[in-house]
Amino acid sequence: QVQLVESGGGLVQPGGSLRLSCAASGIRFNVYTMIMGWYRQAPGEERELVATIPTNSIPNYADSVKGRFIIFRDIVKNTVYLQMNSLKPEDTAVYYCNIQERNSFGLWTSYWGQGTQVTVSA
């Protein structure tokens, strides 16, 4: 059974930093068949993409976080991270880890974590 467990969320002042972690179990990281990413959902809003690392390993970022957030992974630890710097109140949301895996038939399966709350407020 695949489990994704996020941690690192919390309350931070504007301009501060947080690092989110997503530890995966029941699945082995494979950079050639997996897309790893972070999404977020603010109250009353749709869930939106924050950052992904696709199979070509070139990170993608939402325009709203470019230059402030960094996504990276540790293959040995089966963990994907989101380093968030220069946080703004509009970054307040529940952040979700996501892993999409392609099987040998070319079909994709998506796994989600339970989410971790990030609140940016003075």
Side-chain angles (χ1 to χ4, degrees):
Q1 182 179 357
V2 176
Q3 279 192 314
L4 306 181
V5 179
E6 298 109 331
S7 61
L11 173 64
V12 63
Q13 292 187 341
S17 298
L18 283 175
R19 178 178 291 186
L20 305 183
S21 300
C22 172
S25 60
I27 193 170
R28 186 172 181 178
F29 277 18
N30 184 324
V31 299
Y32 302 107
T33 62
M34 288 181 176
I35 300 172
M36 303 164 195
W38 288 92
Y39 292 72
R40 67 187 181 187
Q41 187 167 18
E45 302 288 334
E46 300 271 327
R47 188 173 297 189
E48 64 175 2
L49 181 148
V50 176
T52 62
I53 306 179
T55 54
N56 65 5
S57 300
I58 300 174
N60 296 315
Y61 297 96
D63 287 343
S64 59
V65 307
K66 280 181 182 176
R68 300 188 298 122
F69 290 10
I70 301 171
I71 185 172
F72 60 101
R73 63 196 170 200
D74 186 323
I75 302 301
V76 174
K77 293 183 178 180
N78 254 25
T79 301
V80 59
Y81 302 90
L82 185 69
Q83 177 66 42
M84 305 186 294
N85 302 319
S86 302
L87 282 160
K88 304 175 181 179
E90 51 264 44
D91 294 318
T92 296
V94 177
Y95 284 71
Y96 296 91
C97 175
N98 173 260
I99 293 178
Q100 299 177 58
E101 182 180 33
R102 187 183 70 241
N103 66 17
S104 57
F105 300 101
L107 299 177
W108 291 89
T109 300
S110 185
Y111 304 99
W112 291 93
Q114 81 287 353
T116 185
Q117 176 70 45
V118 172
T119 303
V120 184
S121 175

